[in-house]
Amino acid sequence: MARKAAIIGGGVIGGGWAARFLLNGWDVAVFDPDPQAERKIGEVLANARAALPALSDVPMPAEGKLSFAGTITEAVEGAEYIQESVSERLELKHRVFAQIQQSAPETLIGSSTSGFKPSELQEHAANPGTIFVAHPFNPVYLLPLAEVVPSPKNAARDIERAKEILREIGMFPLHVRKEIDAHIADRFLEAVWREALWLVKDGVATTEEIDEAIRMGFGLRWGQMGLFETYRVAGGEAGMKHFMAQFGPCLQWPWTKLTDVPEFNDELVDLIAGQSDAQSGHHSIRELERIRDSNLIGFLRALKDRNWGAGKVLREHDARRAVAFHDAAPTGAPLVMAQMQVLPGWIDYNGHMTESRYLFAASETSDAFLRLIGAGMDYVAAGHSYYTAETHIMHLGECKLGDRLTGTLQVLGADEKRLHVFIRIQRGDEVVASLEQMLLHVDMKANKTCAAAPGVLAKLDPITQAHKALPRPEAAGRFVGQRRA
Amino acid sequence: MARKAAIIGGGVIGGGWAARFLLNGWDVAVFDPDPQAERKIGEVLANARAALPALSDVPMPAEGKLSFAGTITEAVEGAEYIQESVSERLELKHRVFAQIQQSAPETLIGSSTSGFKPSELQEHAANPGTIFVAHPFNPVYLLPLAEVVPSPKNAARDIERAKEILREIGMFPLHVRKEIDAHIADRFLEAVWREALWLVKDGVATTEEIDEAIRMGFGLRWGQMGLFETYRVAGGEAGMKHFMAQFGPCLQWPWTKLTDVPEFNDELVDLIAGQSDAQSGHHSIRELERIRDSNLIGFLRALKDRNWGAGKVLREHDARRAVAFHDAAPTGAPLVMAQMQVLPGWIDYNGHMTESRYLFAASETSDAFLRLIGAGMDYVAAGHSYYTAETHIMHLGECKLGDRLTGTLQVLGADEKRLHVFIRIQRGDEVVASLEQMLLHVDMKANKTCAAAPGVLAKLDPITQAHKALPRPEAAGRFVGQRRA
């Protein structure tokens, strides 16, 4: 039976939590008295369904069941984990916790609060030790960070259990060691926000210029190394001390004094809202969400390729879920090896997926297969590899932006040196392209074919045997221009 | 003759500027009295050569000539542009400008200063109007941002010329409209740095935890949208005003008061340097540089695929350098339709050109052919196109980074609706891959084949006739796995 999470408070944050749990196979019950909650959560979930699977290189589990509960009691019944994402009003949160603990006094309750300390949340609670901060970042279904902040009233064992649940849904729980207003990340966001308001108010820069100053420069650095590691590199061979000797004195410069809070009046709000409209108003919020998600997928994919930062979290999440998949006995069906999504960069001037991307999709599929049989990157690093000698492609359908594709692989034949495969790129059940390939196993240093390692052949052979039972694809053995049967 | 830039002050920043100019075809003369300057610039240049071309989809120009000058006078002689990157000491910068202007009083001088205002730089100068701020971000050869800050003494025409030069070397000049200490980006960096020092000093978080808080969450958002656009999306349908109504009041919360400057003493330096060693000390600085560059390439490539943010700058830079490639005159020889270079982004984990790039190279070749016969983008926009139905690829050789490739096309047969071609991807005379393709002419709206326009057929026919005299390629009509003759 699927595990159950209760989401108290819908909206963008609650919806993001719901999506993470659902897409990782948990059942989710949502409580939110807002009559719009179901629509709002549905929209977040639609975004998440289009985005999160694009980060996975192993098949996603079956999506959990989403339900909307009429009461908090109903929502939390049977839940293993509860996430609270109601408005940032302490007395409201206290009321919610009291209601939860009437029926589920022992269940872990993470709060999405960005400002309150766990000890504040725990005030007056029947069982304060189950309540802690689990502060996520929008979009919750893509960004891995969750700041986990306990107070001294939380047992270490409970916090470890909460962190484990967060890891299971693909997040990176950052254990914050001392409770403090705004935890860690929002302290930075707040410092930058205050500075940005001054710059706009004083006419130094518009909202657009500020965004460019961030995303054309240090924003790109921070997304992969953060602050200190970036500066460590900047310090060069002399290291961090050298960097600090250079940059430290800047703290005494006059601009560091400008830390008053600007008066937050209608004039400032109008100024900023007007500039933001001029900058981004030609995109709807839905469009901006899709653009943002697509960009984040690109960043996260790049980091995953490199096994670095947030990409490392994705790989670890895959590894958790891959065990069952890779250990499964080969069956008499083509192997589902890759899940992909047609990205904007894959589209040609016809508005369709550009033809080389079909071969790219097939490479993704065969690379995953080679990893499966133990001929992945480590094997290549040790000097051997399978090279493609020949490919025949049939273009059978047109893919468009956003299409979800599956790559399946059928072994047509194999010996010690040769691997003959048939790859189907599918949109649902429709095969949009089929690719027949002959791969040769090579000694990369000697640059000639040779027998694959025994361990690889031992994994390949049962699949080859199992696939002998499959019907031979009609397109196998075809030449270009041959009449169809 | 190549244009010349003078770089005054080597090191990481000066070296980065030198690399940008050199790799974009400019000659560069460096002046730096440091005996280590040549080695240091060489290291930055080696990093840049491995990284910058990975962002380009058009061949890079021939690299410019690098020289080291014994004097400032020698360095700036004949230079069209001068970039100053000496230490952040105002009197030193004043001395450098005075020396430059003795021999080159009219040449534009950009300063890499992160702190000084242009009016401060211009004090005592013989010709203040040529001096302005052009503040880059490390690594200068990858990050597009250059904050261009003039004072009222700079002529608008000169600043526009400077911005155009920066665009020519692939940068994004952000025109800062009011001079202010630390320009724009460094004000944010300073605010975050101050906050980070407090968090470490108070034991709330280590340097590693702070980096994770940034790169697992908002750092990823900022790299593609910056601050305001991110918040605009967070505000949802209700827009920026709604977001500000929610977030604005936070400014009154207690944590915003913590804006004093922490005492910058040895204890704090040791604490941070020690934590940074624990976090990143297992990587050398050279390794961290390569990791950083690889990550940034991944981010920038993702943004380029999506034509967004910094990726848009890359596309525009490509478009500037793309030389329309025309070759016509049907003769009794395959048509040379494309010239390409194997770029770092084309390389797979084997260290060879990844297989989908061979099909990409063939698409470049056939696209150029379609443009030649009048079936290019305008034709597609009007509703007709040639679609590839089928492809057979023979992989015959391995391409490596930097290889120059030629794509030739031979027409095997054609009628009103069908176009049967044979494409060779060559390195010099060696055919590294051959691709046989069947293309079908389609009415895109009706989504069915139809006869091509008379104008297209009139251009295609003489080529088809001329190519009938060519020997039929051995690989034409082959199926996958067929024994070679």
Side-chain angles (χ1 to χ4, degrees):
Chain A
M1 217 184 82
R3 300 159 77 183
K4 177 182 170 184
I7 302 297
I8 311 301
V12 172
I13 298 300
W17 279 107
R20 266 217 184 259
F21 278 106
L22 286 166
L23 290 170
N24 280 285
W26 289 53
D27 287 342
V28 169
V30 175
F31 171 77
D32 191 324
D34 178 359
Q36 297 288 315
E38 196 159 339
R39 177 185 64 82
K40 286 183 185 170
I41 295 225
E43 283 171 0
V44 179
L45 190 53
N47 280 351
R49 284 191 187 119
L52 187 59
L55 299 176
S56 176
D57 291 301
V58 300
M60 302 287 289
E63 195 173 308
K65 203 174 129 286
L66 172 64
S67 61
F68 291 86
T71 62
I72 285 183
T73 307
E74 186 191 333
V76 303
E77 193 193 338
E80 184 180 334
Y81 182 84
I82 300 165
Q83 182 71 27
E84 168 275 308
S85 311
V86 303
S87 301
E88 288 287 83
R89 287 180 292 137
L90 191 55
E91 50 77 31
L92 172 64
K93 289 184 189 277
H94 284 162
R95 261 191 289 137
V96 165
F97 297 145
Q99 282 187 54
I100 291 172
Q101 298 205 324
Q102 276 177 15
S103 51
E106 303 294 335
T107 314
L108 290 173
I109 308 173
S111 170
S112 300
T113 183
S114 58
F116 296 114
K117 291 182 283 205
S119 57
E120 291 170 317
L121 299 175
Q122 291 164 351
E123 284 162 14
H124 323 302
N127 185 3
T130 61
I131 301 169
F132 58 95
V133 170
H135 176 228
F137 291 78
N138 190 40
V140 179
Y141 50 84
L142 284 182
L143 296 181
L145 184 61
E147 292 176 316
V148 174
V149 197
S151 86
K153 290 200 172 145
N154 297 99
R157 198 190 55 242
D158 285 340
I159 294 303
E160 287 311 311
R161 193 153 60 86
K163 284 160 67 179
E164 186 57 20
I165 288 172
L166 296 174
R167 283 189 205 102
E168 279 167 25
I169 58 169
M171 298 187 90
F172 178 84
L174 179 66
H175 192 132
V176 180
R177 54 184 72 216
K178 263 191 194 177
E179 57 175 339
I180 177 177
D181 291 302
H183 326 315
I184 298 174
D186 275 14
R187 297 188 73 88
F188 299 126
L189 293 176
E190 207 280 326
V192 168
W193 176 244
R194 182 180 56 228
E195 192 71 26
L197 293 183
W198 275 120
L199 290 172
V200 174
K201 187 185 170 81
D202 291 353
V204 174
T206 64
T207 60
E208 180 165 4
E209 287 159 359
I210 287 169
D211 282 353
E212 298 293 18
I214 294 172
R215 72 179 183 164
M216 293 290 172
F218 70 84
L220 293 164
R221 294 194 305 218
W222 283 5
Q224 41 95 39
M225 283 192 170
L227 180 73
F228 285 101
E229 198 159 64
T230 295
Y231 284 155
R232 185 184 180 89
V233 183
E237 291 154 29
M240 199 66 197
K241 279 207 179 190
H242 172 70
F243 173 80
M244 293 192 56
Q246 263 194 320
F247 201 58
C250 297
L251 289 169
Q252 307 304 329
W253 290 7
W255 72 78
T256 71
K257 305 296 180 197
L258 190 60
T259 50
D260 304 331
V261 177
E263 197 194 335
F264 199 79
N265 53 23
D266 284 354
E267 202 183 350
L268 182 58
V269 169
D270 286 343
L271 181 63
I272 287 180
Q275 289 185 359
S276 173
D277 285 350
Q279 173 188 355
S280 315
H282 54 294
H283 291 297
S284 73
I285 295 296
R286 291 284 160 266
E287 280 169 354
L288 285 173
E289 281 175 350
R290 280 193 293 271
I291 292 165
R292 175 199 64 191
D293 287 0
S294 167
N295 290 335
L296 290 174
I297 289 167
F299 283 11
L300 290 163
R301 271 269 157 204
L303 293 172
K304 192 178 184 188
D305 281 350
R306 291 154 179 82
N307 197 21
W308 186 262
K312 211 166 179 168
V313 176
L314 294 173
R315 285 207 185 195
E316 285 158 6
H317 189 45
D318 273 7
R320 279 171 178 267
R321 294 178 303 172
V323 179
F325 178 64
H326 282 188
D327 287 352
T331 62
L335 290 163
V336 178
M337 293 310 315
Q339 308 278 6
M340 294 155 283
Q341 190 176 11
V342 180
L343 300 171
W346 298 22
I347 299 299
D348 67 13
Y349 55 80
N350 280 339
H352 300 134
M353 180 160 143
T354 192
E355 62 179 286
S356 63
R357 287 292 175 178
Y358 291 92
L359 185 51
F360 175 80
S363 295
E364 293 288 291
T365 305
S366 57
D367 284 353
F369 180 74
L370 292 175
R371 286 194 296 273
L372 178 70
I373 61 171
M377 291 178 73
D378 292 345
Y379 190 75
V380 169
H384 292 87
S385 185
Y386 278 98
Y387 285 1
T388 305
E390 204 172 352
T391 302
H392 175 262
I393 310 172
M394 298 280 290
H395 292 274
L396 304 168
E398 292 158 23
C399 294
K400 295 207 171 57
L401 186 64
D403 282 354
R404 301 284 301 276
L405 303 180
T406 304
T408 72
L409 185 142
Q410 173 178 350
V411 178
L412 296 179
D415 59 24
E416 285 188 333
K417 295 183 180 179
R418 289 157 45 113
L419 175 55
H420 189 183
V421 300
F422 193 82
I423 293 168
R424 291 175 179 86
I425 305 301
Q426 297 183 208
R427 179 177 44 203
D429 290 334
E430 179 198 1
V431 178
V432 292
S434 71
L435 297 97
E436 181 186 2
Q437 293 196 303
M438 183 65 74
L439 289 84
L440 299 176
H441 185 270
V442 292
D443 177 331
M444 292 169 72
K445 205 169 163 190
N447 200 23
K448 59 180 186 184
T449 59
C450 69
V456 168
L457 294 172
K459 284 188 184 157
L460 175 56
D461 188 58
I463 300 171
T464 309
Q465 298 307 323
H467 284 193
K468 278 186 178 162
L470 289 171
R472 193 169 178 87
E474 198 194 306
R478 240 187 96 85
F479 60 83
V480 172
Q482 187 177 348
R483 290 199 172 276
R484 298 206 191 180
Chain B
M1 219 182 79
R3 300 159 77 182
K4 179 181 169 184
I7 303 297
I8 311 301
V12 172
I13 299 299
W17 279 107
R20 267 216 184 260
F21 277 107
L22 285 166
L23 291 170
N24 280 287
W26 288 55
D27 288 341
V28 169
V30 175
F31 172 76
D32 191 325
D34 177 0
Q36 298 287 316
E38 195 159 340
R39 178 185 65 81
K40 286 184 185 169
I41 293 223
E43 284 171 0
V44 179
L45 190 53
N47 280 352
R49 284 190 186 118
L52 186 59
L55 299 176
S56 175
D57 291 302
V58 299
M60 301 287 288
E63 195 175 306
K65 204 174 129 284
L66 173 65
S67 60
F68 290 87
T71 62
I72 286 183
T73 307
E74 187 190 332
V76 303
E77 194 194 337
E80 185 179 336
Y81 182 83
I82 301 165
Q83 182 71 26
E84 169 275 310
S85 310
V86 303
S87 303
E88 288 287 81
R89 288 180 292 139
L90 191 55
E91 50 77 31
L92 173 62
K93 289 183 190 280
H94 283 160
R95 261 190 291 135
V96 166
F97 298 145
Q99 283 186 51
I100 291 171
Q101 297 205 323
Q102 274 177 14
S103 51
E106 303 295 335
T107 314
L108 290 173
I109 308 173
S111 170
S112 301
T113 184
S114 59
F116 296 114
K117 291 181 282 204
S119 56
E120 291 170 318
L121 299 175
Q122 290 164 351
E123 284 163 13
H124 321 303
N127 186 2
T130 62
I131 301 169
F132 57 94
V133 171
H135 176 227
F137 292 76
N138 190 40
V140 179
Y141 50 83
L142 284 181
L143 296 181
L145 184 62
E147 292 176 315
V148 173
V149 197
S151 86
K153 289 201 173 144
N154 297 100
R157 198 190 54 240
D158 285 340
I159 294 303
E160 287 311 312
R161 193 153 60 86
K163 286 161 67 180
E164 186 58 21
I165 287 172
L166 295 174
R167 282 188 206 103
E168 279 167 24
I169 59 170
M171 299 187 90
F172 178 83
L174 178 65
H175 193 132
V176 180
R177 55 183 71 215
K178 262 192 194 177
E179 57 174 338
I180 177 177
D181 291 302
H183 325 315
I184 298 174
D186 275 15
R187 297 188 73 89
F188 299 127
L189 293 176
E190 207 279 326
V192 168
W193 177 244
R194 183 179 56 228
E195 191 72 27
L197 293 182
W198 274 121
L199 290 173
V200 174
K201 187 186 173 79
D202 291 353
V204 174
T206 64
T207 60
E208 180 165 4
E209 288 159 358
I210 287 169
D211 282 354
E212 298 293 17
I214 294 172
R215 70 179 185 166
M216 293 289 173
F218 70 85
L220 293 164
R221 294 195 304 218
W222 284 6
Q224 41 95 41
M225 281 191 171
L227 179 72
F228 285 101
E229 199 159 63
T230 295
Y231 285 155
R232 184 183 181 89
V233 182
E237 291 155 29
M240 199 65 197
K241 279 208 181 190
H242 172 70
F243 173 80
M244 293 192 59
Q246 263 193 317
F247 200 56
C250 297
L251 288 168
Q252 306 304 329
W253 290 7
W255 71 79
T256 70
K257 305 296 181 196
L258 190 60
T259 50
D260 304 332
V261 177
E263 198 194 333
F264 200 78
N265 53 23
D266 284 353
E267 202 184 349
L268 181 59
V269 169
D270 287 343
L271 181 64
I272 287 180
Q275 289 186 358
S276 173
D277 286 349
Q279 173 188 356
S280 315
H282 55 293
H283 291 296
S284 73
I285 294 295
R286 290 284 160 269
E287 280 169 354
L288 285 174
E289 281 175 349
R290 280 192 294 269
I291 292 165
R292 175 200 62 191
D293 286 0
S294 166
N295 291 335
L296 290 175
I297 289 167
F299 283 11
L300 289 164
R301 270 271 157 205
L303 293 172
K304 193 178 183 187
D305 281 350
R306 293 155 177 80
N307 196 23
W308 185 262
K312 211 166 179 169
V313 176
L314 294 173
R315 286 207 185 194
E316 284 159 6
H317 189 45
D318 273 6
R320 278 171 180 270
R321 295 177 304 172
V323 181
F325 186 80
H326 292 302
D327 192 308
T331 64
L335 291 163
V336 178
M337 292 311 315
Q339 307 280 3
M340 294 155 282
Q341 188 177 11
V342 180
L343 302 169
W346 298 21
I347 300 298
D348 66 14
Y349 57 81
N350 280 339
H352 300 134
M353 180 161 143
T354 193
E355 61 180 288
S356 62
R357 286 293 175 177
Y358 291 92
L359 185 51
F360 175 80
S363 294
E364 292 288 290
T365 306
S366 57
D367 285 352
F369 180 75
L370 293 175
R371 285 195 295 274
L372 179 70
I373 61 170
M377 291 179 72
D378 291 345
Y379 190 75
V380 169
H384 292 86
S385 184
Y386 278 96
Y387 285 2
T388 304
E390 203 173 352
T391 302
H392 175 263
I393 309 174
M394 298 282 289
H395 292 274
L396 304 168
E398 292 158 21
C399 293
K400 296 209 169 56
L401 187 64
D403 284 353
R404 298 264 174 187
L405 303 180
T406 304
T408 71
L409 185 141
Q410 173 178 349
V411 178
L412 296 178
D415 60 23
E416 284 188 334
K417 294 182 177 178
R418 289 158 45 112
L419 174 56
H420 189 183
V421 300
F422 193 81
I423 293 168
R424 293 175 179 87
I425 306 301
Q426 298 183 208
R427 178 176 44 202
D429 289 335
E430 179 198 1
V431 178
V432 292
S434 71
L435 297 96
E436 182 186 1
Q437 294 196 302
M438 184 65 74
L439 289 85
L440 300 176
H441 185 270
V442 293
D443 177 330
M444 294 170 70
K445 205 168 162 189
N447 199 23
K448 59 180 187 182
T449 59
C450 68
V456 168
L457 294 172
K459 284 186 187 162
L460 174 57
D461 189 57
I463 301 171
T464 309
Q465 296 309 322
H467 284 195
K468 278 188 177 161
L470 289 172
R472 193 169 177 86
E474 199 195 306
R478 239 187 96 85
F479 59 83
V480 171
Q482 186 177 349
R483 289 199 173 275
R484 297 207 192 180

